[in-house]
Amino acid sequence: MKTFTALFAQLDETTKTSYKISYLSNYFQVADPMDKLWTIALFSGRRPKRAVTTTQLRQWAAERANIPLWLFEDCYRVVGDLAEALALILPPAQQTSDRSLSDWIVWLRALHALPSDQRKPQIISAWDQLPVQQCFLFNKLITGGFRIGVSQRLMTRALAQATGQDAATLAHRLMGNWTPDTTTWAELIESDSPATDLSRPYPFYLANGLEARGNHTLETGPDVDVDQEADPAAAQLGPCQDWRAEWKWDGIRGQIILRDGNVFVWSRGEELITDRFPEFTKLASLLPDSTVLDGELLAWKSGRPMPFNALQKRIGRKTVPKKLRDDAPVILMAYDLLEHQGRDIRLQPYDQRRAHLTTLFATLPDTCPLRLSQGLDFKTWGDLASMRAGARAAGTEGVMIKRHDSAYGVGRKKGDWWKWKLDPLTIDAVMIYAQAGHGRRATLYSDFTFALWQGEDLVPFTKAYSGLTDAELAEISKWVRKNTLQRFGPVRQVTPHHVFEIAFEGLHESPRHKSGVALRFPRMRRWRHDKVVRQANTLDDLKEMLSRYG
Amino acid sequence: MRRAPVLTFTKNGIYCPAGDFYIDPWRPVERALITHGHADHARSGHRRYLATDLAGPVMQHRLGKIDLDAVKYGQTRQIGDATVSFHPAGHVPGSAQIKVEVSGEIWVVSGDYKTENDGLSDPFEPVACHSFITECTFGMPVFDWQPQAAVMAQINDWWANNAAEGRTSVLGAYALGKAQRLLVHLNPDIGPILSHTAIAKTNDILDRQSILTNNSIQVTANLDVKNLPGALVLAPPSALGSAWLRRFGPVSEAVVSGWMRLRGVRRRRNAERGFVLSDHADWKGLLQAVRATGAENIYTTHGYTDVFSRYLNEIGYHAQTVKTEFTGETLEQDQAP
Ligand SMILES: [Zn+2]
Ligand SMILES: [Zn+2]
């Protein structure tokens, strides 16, 4: 565990990508192969099967630290990470252990064979021999979620440096269904023809956000100061003949794989979600074998997308009842073809891939749960700007712009694919509750509840966590401490005094909310120092937005 | 007849009716007893001040011309019907707990304190009392400090390593207390120690008081830092990541604070390293201090007050939270003490 802990500490202590790559690459050159394999697995969200529950961990650690459970829960709320909170309250280790990362994993798995009442003394004995950093990582092996700013892209770059292989090839190898049990370091990383994993998806290609000139997204000269209306942001991309456009659909990015008579559905989070979308099983008989489609999963009815929450009901459940399928049938809005007739065609130009895709769709029956994401026809950037303005009415969140000759890349590589999103909806609301943040923001108030007017009352309608700068957070935290009216556990009711502009991507009816409305991606966009509480919007204003955009 | 309490909590601060004075008030008052020189405890605008002789010079430096009367640790003063005395709090040089006795009933205001002897401040002395008003900045069991020597060794290692790789080491630490504690305990054989002006001023004051020997070099505009390879710079936390650091060439930055115990906070600060060292008591220190007073009634003032009082109530004390304007150890610039 020491080597892995040392790597973790190095990665955790720097924000510089080049340092992270060299630390990882050094580790991949010297560490034990089993440890290396597990390191890749852990950093890409895989973990050994859990032998104890998180509830048990909390109880046992509180007991070991001789504190009441409520106190542990309060600690956890401040720390924001269960594995860390456990490590911090446990008494310091009295012994040491030489077990390596993979030894500990083997040890953890052996717990499954033990009757459940014997697992507790085992876990406690492990805690007793792990210094705080190692103990934290040991707990992470159980709870999962190694978030240390090592993206898949960074890891593949480090692996490429350590092994001398091509990064894109490695990225593809790391995708899919493997676990350290089904493969080895040699097979996954080093072998010339890795055992073909039928379900293995391709790395997703991601677009960058396009912003108006003057913002820092695109490199532009300091002298640029043009009217956005007359000269849309997209004009920075050069002649519009070189570009293609489609709607930007608001669903779940997905890849559908047809190989050897099987259908696999992958989410962008690299999760195999086939079971949640039984609609697609029939594709095996509708499309030729060895086809891979990239697109957006959407709940779709009467020729248009349903609100995002209709799709959300599918996530997080193992089986899909018939009623849900009837109420919110799902389709794939396909926009790219990655594998065609058994060949990886990602390097072909966009227009060519789209031509294959269009041919494929020509013969599909109406009942097929696939739609082709139509190209938008525009002669000038101004045309496209006006289409974008109609995106909300089309049930989309803007437009995508792709270069006509672009290959299908890996990850978020700037230059060929852009998303030009609609400006968000906004409303001015009053802050009424504040709650201290956790983890990074443990010393600040950062979780707020906002309200709108209904007659003389302020009705809470949304929470928001993000959007303020550190300086603004410090300022509001100081104010919250001095203007608390009442405390409800960690939540403080504050004097209604500050108005914030809340931005959000969409809204829908929700009986679970007091206001009857739920927002999508709410965040604080601006602190309206210029407004007094009476000038905040009303609940009726929000309902009006619901009838127009909901 | 019920006696009036020895101390009460008012909108101006902690008040003693028997002696008509306040302790660390946050609004201007006639007479203020001050525990120590940090900005959230020693504010300007009071007509008369009383503090320890050791805390006096820094207060005068920070607050300008004030009407200041000084006492020694342990010396008693009669103010109206109250007898007051100041006792070492171990927080920063000159810091005190204030003991107030009225007709045999004793209350103690802790100010800020830590229980570990830092080798710079007079170490914390428990004062027996009936009621104890305590800070609890780090009143959560996740805050558990390592001994000072172990942390200093970590910092020395980090410094030596930076020096070997040609980088200047920059430590973000409070101008009063933390910076001098580092100055006293870091290993001067590794390289020269430089101080930001805000810190150098305080160093000089404490040097004149013979509390420490200021062996650091003040960073001035014409200081040739190129001639000082392997240096370590003591700077206020707000200087980290600022343009002021450019003069030092390649640097490694670290924050020294009790908050560095939390990985999330460390990451938000964007410092490469965080060293866990505080001038406030950790969870065990707080409990030890409370126990040592023998008090039955505990009032918690700043920090995780609700959590700490709830726990104290569960283990048999009468504890309650008091709303004050003290900030404790903070990483937010506008509140730096
Ligand atoms: Zn202080
Ligand atoms: Zn304080």
Side-chain angles (χ1 to χ4, degrees), chain A residues 254-276:
Chain A
Q255 208 176 106
I256 294 188
I257 294 173
L258 289 105
R259 285 181 194 138
D260 262 13
N262 297 293
V263 178
F264 303 100
V265 184
W266 287 94
S267 74
R268 208 196 104 190
E270 256 193 78
E271 205 190 339
L272 196 54
I273 48 175
T274 319
D275 296 346
R276 268 158 270 178

PDB file of all heavy atoms in Angstrom, chain A residues 254-276:
ATOM      1  N   GLY A 254     -24.978   8.250 -25.661  1.00  0.00           N
ATOM      2  CA  GLY A 254     -24.882   6.788 -25.631  1.00  0.00           C
ATOM      3  C   GLY A 254     -24.272   6.208 -26.894  1.00  0.00           C
ATOM      4  O   GLY A 254     -24.237   6.845 -27.950  1.00  0.00           O
ATOM      5  N   GLN A 255     -23.752   5.006 -26.739  1.00  0.00           N
ATOM      6  CA  GLN A 255     -23.174   4.290 -27.877  1.00  0.00           C
ATOM      7  C   GLN A 255     -23.882   2.940 -27.949  1.00  0.00           C
ATOM      8  O   GLN A 255     -23.987   2.245 -26.947  1.00  0.00           O
ATOM      9  CB  GLN A 255     -21.682   4.087 -27.618  1.00  0.00           C
ATOM     10  CG  GLN A 255     -20.836   4.000 -28.863  1.00  0.00           C
ATOM     11  CD  GLN A 255     -19.350   3.888 -28.535  1.00  0.00           C
ATOM     12  OE1 GLN A 255     -18.763   2.830 -28.671  1.00  0.00           O
ATOM     13  NE2 GLN A 255     -18.730   4.965 -28.097  1.00  0.00           N
ATOM     14  N   ILE A 256     -24.375   2.597 -29.142  1.00  0.00           N
ATOM     15  CA  ILE A 256     -25.019   1.289 -29.297  1.00  0.00           C
ATOM     16  C   ILE A 256     -24.128   0.413 -30.171  1.00  0.00           C
ATOM     17  O   ILE A 256     -23.702   0.822 -31.254  1.00  0.00           O
ATOM     18  CB  ILE A 256     -26.429   1.427 -29.897  1.00  0.00           C
ATOM     19  CG1 ILE A 256     -27.328   2.175 -28.896  1.00  0.00           C
ATOM     20  CG2 ILE A 256     -27.008   0.052 -30.218  1.00  0.00           C
ATOM     21  CD1 ILE A 256     -28.784   2.213 -29.283  1.00  0.00           C
ATOM     22  N   ILE A 257     -23.857  -0.785 -29.657  1.00  0.00           N
ATOM     23  CA  ILE A 257     -22.934  -1.694 -30.318  1.00  0.00           C
ATOM     24  C   ILE A 257     -23.661  -2.957 -30.746  1.00  0.00           C
ATOM     25  O   ILE A 257     -24.325  -3.597 -29.923  1.00  0.00           O
ATOM     26  CB  ILE A 257     -21.788  -2.043 -29.345  1.00  0.00           C
ATOM     27  CG1 ILE A 257     -20.968  -0.779 -29.082  1.00  0.00           C
ATOM     28  CG2 ILE A 257     -20.906  -3.172 -29.880  1.00  0.00           C
ATOM     29  CD1 ILE A 257     -19.924  -0.946 -28.029  1.00  0.00           C
ATOM     30  N   LEU A 258     -23.569  -3.290 -32.012  1.00  0.00           N
ATOM     31  CA  LEU A 258     -24.128  -4.556 -32.496  1.00  0.00           C
ATOM     32  C   LEU A 258     -22.982  -5.425 -32.970  1.00  0.00           C
ATOM     33  O   LEU A 258     -22.302  -5.083 -33.958  1.00  0.00           O
ATOM     34  CB  LEU A 258     -25.075  -4.304 -33.677  1.00  0.00           C
ATOM     35  CG  LEU A 258     -26.387  -3.648 -33.315  1.00  0.00           C
ATOM     36  CD1 LEU A 258     -26.369  -2.204 -33.721  1.00  0.00           C
ATOM     37  CD2 LEU A 258     -27.533  -4.393 -33.965  1.00  0.00           C
ATOM     38  N   ARG A 259     -22.740  -6.510 -32.236  1.00  0.00           N
ATOM     39  CA  ARG A 259     -21.674  -7.418 -32.655  1.00  0.00           C
ATOM     40  C   ARG A 259     -22.092  -8.856 -32.349  1.00  0.00           C
ATOM     41  O   ARG A 259     -22.608  -9.112 -31.257  1.00  0.00           O
ATOM     42  CB  ARG A 259     -20.362  -7.113 -31.922  1.00  0.00           C
ATOM     43  CG  ARG A 259     -19.635  -5.855 -32.412  1.00  0.00           C
ATOM     44  CD  ARG A 259     -18.336  -5.640 -31.652  1.00  0.00           C
ATOM     45  NE  ARG A 259     -17.801  -4.298 -31.871  1.00  0.00           N
ATOM     46  CZ  ARG A 259     -17.283  -3.540 -30.914  1.00  0.00           C
ATOM     47  NH1 ARG A 259     -17.227  -3.975 -29.669  1.00  0.00           N
ATOM     48  NH2 ARG A 259     -16.810  -2.336 -31.193  1.00  0.00           N
ATOM     49  N   ASP A 260     -21.868  -9.748 -33.289  1.00  0.00           N
ATOM     50  CA  ASP A 260     -22.165 -11.165 -33.099  1.00  0.00           C
ATOM     51  C   ASP A 260     -23.585 -11.411 -32.607  1.00  0.00           C
ATOM     52  O   ASP A 260     -23.814 -12.246 -31.733  1.00  0.00           O
ATOM     53  CB  ASP A 260     -21.193 -11.760 -32.065  1.00  0.00           C
ATOM     54  CG  ASP A 260     -20.046 -12.479 -32.768  1.00  0.00           C
ATOM     55  OD1 ASP A 260     -19.904 -12.295 -34.001  1.00  0.00           O
ATOM     56  OD2 ASP A 260     -19.318 -13.230 -32.083  1.00  0.00           O
ATOM     57  N   GLY A 261     -24.532 -10.645 -33.138  1.00  0.00           N
ATOM     58  CA  GLY A 261     -25.919 -10.835 -32.753  1.00  0.00           C
ATOM     59  C   GLY A 261     -26.294 -10.269 -31.404  1.00  0.00           C
ATOM     60  O   GLY A 261     -27.426 -10.414 -30.946  1.00  0.00           O
ATOM     61  N   ASN A 262     -25.327  -9.598 -30.727  1.00  0.00           N
ATOM     62  CA  ASN A 262     -25.625  -8.982 -29.428  1.00  0.00           C
ATOM     63  C   ASN A 262     -25.821  -7.486 -29.584  1.00  0.00           C
ATOM     64  O   ASN A 262     -25.253  -6.874 -30.487  1.00  0.00           O
ATOM     65  CB  ASN A 262     -24.463  -9.173 -28.462  1.00  0.00           C
ATOM     66  CG  ASN A 262     -24.215 -10.629 -28.167  1.00  0.00           C
ATOM     67  OD1 ASN A 262     -25.038 -11.285 -27.547  1.00  0.00           O
ATOM     68  ND2 ASN A 262     -23.087 -11.135 -28.650  1.00  0.00           N
ATOM     69  N   VAL A 263     -26.609  -6.919 -28.639  1.00  0.00           N
ATOM     70  CA  VAL A 263     -26.754  -5.464 -28.589  1.00  0.00           C
ATOM     71  C   VAL A 263     -26.230  -4.978 -27.241  1.00  0.00           C
ATOM     72  O   VAL A 263     -26.590  -5.539 -26.198  1.00  0.00           O
ATOM     73  CB  VAL A 263     -28.237  -5.044 -28.738  1.00  0.00           C
ATOM     74  CG1 VAL A 263     -28.367  -3.530 -28.631  1.00  0.00           C
ATOM     75  CG2 VAL A 263     -28.803  -5.542 -30.049  1.00  0.00           C
ATOM     76  N   PHE A 264     -25.360  -3.978 -27.262  1.00  0.00           N
ATOM     77  CA  PHE A 264     -24.852  -3.371 -26.022  1.00  0.00           C
ATOM     78  C   PHE A 264     -25.112  -1.871 -26.059  1.00  0.00           C
ATOM     79  O   PHE A 264     -24.892  -1.236 -27.088  1.00  0.00           O
ATOM     80  CB  PHE A 264     -23.344  -3.589 -25.874  1.00  0.00           C
ATOM     81  CG  PHE A 264     -22.935  -5.038 -25.914  1.00  0.00           C
ATOM     82  CD1 PHE A 264     -22.420  -5.591 -27.090  1.00  0.00           C
ATOM     83  CD2 PHE A 264     -23.062  -5.854 -24.790  1.00  0.00           C
ATOM     84  CE1 PHE A 264     -22.033  -6.919 -27.141  1.00  0.00           C
ATOM     85  CE2 PHE A 264     -22.665  -7.185 -24.838  1.00  0.00           C
ATOM     86  CZ  PHE A 264     -22.151  -7.725 -26.016  1.00  0.00           C
ATOM     87  N   VAL A 265     -25.586  -1.332 -24.929  1.00  0.00           N
ATOM     88  CA  VAL A 265     -25.761   0.120 -24.843  1.00  0.00           C
ATOM     89  C   VAL A 265     -24.829   0.646 -23.760  1.00  0.00           C
ATOM     90  O   VAL A 265     -24.860   0.169 -22.619  1.00  0.00           O
ATOM     91  CB  VAL A 265     -27.224   0.499 -24.496  1.00  0.00           C
ATOM     92  CG1 VAL A 265     -27.393   2.018 -24.505  1.00  0.00           C
ATOM     93  CG2 VAL A 265     -28.192  -0.161 -25.459  1.00  0.00           C
ATOM     94  N   TRP A 266     -23.998   1.618 -24.127  1.00  0.00           N
ATOM     95  CA  TRP A 266     -23.047   2.223 -23.177  1.00  0.00           C
ATOM     96  C   TRP A 266     -23.393   3.682 -22.960  1.00  0.00           C
ATOM     97  O   TRP A 266     -23.730   4.377 -23.904  1.00  0.00           O
ATOM     98  CB  TRP A 266     -21.614   2.169 -23.736  1.00  0.00           C
ATOM     99  CG  TRP A 266     -21.005   0.809 -23.713  1.00  0.00           C
ATOM    100  CD1 TRP A 266     -21.013  -0.095 -24.717  1.00  0.00           C
ATOM    101  CD2 TRP A 266     -20.303   0.218 -22.625  1.00  0.00           C
ATOM    102  NE1 TRP A 266     -20.356  -1.235 -24.336  1.00  0.00           N
ATOM    103  CE2 TRP A 266     -19.897  -1.070 -23.040  1.00  0.00           C
ATOM    104  CE3 TRP A 266     -19.961   0.642 -21.342  1.00  0.00           C
ATOM    105  CZ2 TRP A 266     -19.181  -1.933 -22.223  1.00  0.00           C
ATOM    106  CZ3 TRP A 266     -19.247  -0.215 -20.525  1.00  0.00           C
ATOM    107  CH2 TRP A 266     -18.866  -1.495 -20.963  1.00  0.00           C
ATOM    108  N   SER A 267     -23.233   4.144 -21.720  1.00  0.00           N
ATOM    109  CA  SER A 267     -23.374   5.580 -21.468  1.00  0.00           C
ATOM    110  C   SER A 267     -21.996   6.214 -21.542  1.00  0.00           C
ATOM    111  O   SER A 267     -20.986   5.520 -21.513  1.00  0.00           O
ATOM    112  CB  SER A 267     -23.975   5.835 -20.097  1.00  0.00           C
ATOM    113  OG  SER A 267     -22.992   5.573 -19.113  1.00  0.00           O
ATOM    114  N   ARG A 268     -21.979   7.534 -21.582  1.00  0.00           N
ATOM    115  CA  ARG A 268     -20.709   8.231 -21.644  1.00  0.00           C
ATOM    116  C   ARG A 268     -19.879   7.998 -20.400  1.00  0.00           C
ATOM    117  O   ARG A 268     -18.663   8.067 -20.408  1.00  0.00           O
ATOM    118  CB  ARG A 268     -20.962   9.726 -21.818  1.00  0.00           C
ATOM    119  CG  ARG A 268     -19.857  10.417 -22.531  1.00  0.00           C
ATOM    120  CD  ARG A 268     -19.967  11.896 -22.324  1.00  0.00           C
ATOM    121  NE  ARG A 268     -18.990  12.336 -21.368  1.00  0.00           N
ATOM    122  CZ  ARG A 268     -18.958  13.534 -20.843  1.00  0.00           C
ATOM    123  NH1 ARG A 268     -19.895  14.393 -21.152  1.00  0.00           N
ATOM    124  NH2 ARG A 268     -18.027  13.868 -20.003  1.00  0.00           N
ATOM    125  N   GLY A 269     -20.563   7.714 -19.284  1.00  0.00           N
ATOM    126  CA  GLY A 269     -19.860   7.411 -18.041  1.00  0.00           C
ATOM    127  C   GLY A 269     -19.263   6.015 -18.069  1.00  0.00           C
ATOM    128  O   GLY A 269     -18.891   5.481 -17.033  1.00  0.00           O
ATOM    129  N   GLU A 270     -19.201   5.409 -19.253  1.00  0.00           N
ATOM    130  CA  GLU A 270     -18.654   4.073 -19.423  1.00  0.00           C
ATOM    131  C   GLU A 270     -19.394   3.044 -18.609  1.00  0.00           C
ATOM    132  O   GLU A 270     -18.810   2.174 -17.970  1.00  0.00           O
ATOM    133  CB  GLU A 270     -17.180   4.048 -19.010  1.00  0.00           C
ATOM    134  CG  GLU A 270     -16.259   4.023 -20.189  1.00  0.00           C
ATOM    135  CD  GLU A 270     -14.859   3.688 -19.725  1.00  0.00           C
ATOM    136  OE1 GLU A 270     -14.605   2.502 -19.475  1.00  0.00           O
ATOM    137  OE2 GLU A 270     -14.059   4.629 -19.596  1.00  0.00           O
ATOM    138  N   GLU A 271     -20.708   3.175 -18.601  1.00  0.00           N
ATOM    139  CA  GLU A 271     -21.510   2.230 -17.859  1.00  0.00           C
ATOM    140  C   GLU A 271     -22.333   1.457 -18.877  1.00  0.00           C
ATOM    141  O   GLU A 271     -22.904   2.047 -19.800  1.00  0.00           O
ATOM    142  CB  GLU A 271     -22.428   3.008 -16.912  1.00  0.00           C
ATOM    143  CG  GLU A 271     -22.860   2.215 -15.723  1.00  0.00           C
ATOM    144  CD  GLU A 271     -23.953   2.949 -14.961  1.00  0.00           C
ATOM    145  OE1 GLU A 271     -24.064   4.184 -15.122  1.00  0.00           O
ATOM    146  OE2 GLU A 271     -24.688   2.287 -14.236  1.00  0.00           O
ATOM    147  N   LEU A 272     -22.386   0.157 -18.693  1.00  0.00           N
ATOM    148  CA  LEU A 272     -23.177  -0.679 -19.594  1.00  0.00           C
ATOM    149  C   LEU A 272     -24.627  -0.593 -19.118  1.00  0.00           C
ATOM    150  O   LEU A 272     -24.943  -1.025 -18.010  1.00  0.00           O
ATOM    151  CB  LEU A 272     -22.651  -2.108 -19.517  1.00  0.00           C
ATOM    152  CG  LEU A 272     -23.070  -3.077 -20.624  1.00  0.00           C
ATOM    153  CD1 LEU A 272     -22.751  -2.508 -22.007  1.00  0.00           C
ATOM    154  CD2 LEU A 272     -22.368  -4.413 -20.444  1.00  0.00           C
ATOM    155  N   ILE A 273     -25.504  -0.012 -19.933  1.00  0.00           N
ATOM    156  CA  ILE A 273     -26.870   0.253 -19.475  1.00  0.00           C
ATOM    157  C   ILE A 273     -27.908  -0.448 -20.340  1.00  0.00           C
ATOM    158  O   ILE A 273     -29.076  -0.057 -20.374  1.00  0.00           O
ATOM    159  CB  ILE A 273     -27.145   1.778 -19.454  1.00  0.00           C
ATOM    160  CG1 ILE A 273     -26.691   2.419 -20.767  1.00  0.00           C
ATOM    161  CG2 ILE A 273     -26.426   2.456 -18.281  1.00  0.00           C
ATOM    162  CD1 ILE A 273     -27.038   3.899 -20.896  1.00  0.00           C
ATOM    163  N   THR A 274     -27.475  -1.502 -21.028  1.00  0.00           N
ATOM    164  CA  THR A 274     -28.359  -2.230 -21.937  1.00  0.00           C
ATOM    165  C   THR A 274     -29.686  -2.608 -21.279  1.00  0.00           C
ATOM    166  O   THR A 274     -30.754  -2.438 -21.879  1.00  0.00           O
ATOM    167  CB  THR A 274     -27.651  -3.527 -22.412  1.00  0.00           C
ATOM    168  OG1 THR A 274     -26.286  -3.220 -22.681  1.00  0.00           O
ATOM    169  CG2 THR A 274     -28.307  -4.088 -23.647  1.00  0.00           C
ATOM    170  N   ASP A 275     -29.617  -3.111 -20.036  1.00  0.00           N
ATOM    171  CA  ASP A 275     -30.823  -3.605 -19.364  1.00  0.00           C
ATOM    172  C   ASP A 275     -31.877  -2.535 -19.156  1.00  0.00           C
ATOM    173  O   ASP A 275     -33.055  -2.828 -19.043  1.00  0.00           O
ATOM    174  CB  ASP A 275     -30.465  -4.165 -17.974  1.00  0.00           C
ATOM    175  CG  ASP A 275     -29.560  -5.369 -18.103  1.00  0.00           C
ATOM    176  OD1 ASP A 275     -29.465  -5.892 -19.237  1.00  0.00           O
ATOM    177  OD2 ASP A 275     -28.956  -5.757 -17.094  1.00  0.00           O
ATOM    178  N   ARG A 276     -31.434  -1.301 -19.067  1.00  0.00           N
ATOM    179  CA  ARG A 276     -32.396  -0.236 -18.788  1.00  0.00           C
ATOM    180  C   ARG A 276     -33.111   0.243 -20.052  1.00  0.00           C
ATOM    181  O   ARG A 276     -34.034   1.035 -19.983  1.00  0.00           O
ATOM    182  CB  ARG A 276     -31.686   0.931 -18.097  1.00  0.00           C
ATOM    183  CG  ARG A 276     -31.757   0.770 -16.594  1.00  0.00           C
ATOM    184  CD  ARG A 276     -30.670   1.553 -15.918  1.00  0.00           C
ATOM    185  NE  ARG A 276     -29.469   0.742 -15.758  1.00  0.00           N
ATOM    186  CZ  ARG A 276     -28.344   1.187 -15.236  1.00  0.00           C
ATOM    187  NH1 ARG A 276     -28.273   2.441 -14.845  1.00  0.00           N
ATOM    188  NH2 ARG A 276     -27.307   0.401 -15.089  1.00  0.00           N
TER     189      ARG A 276
END
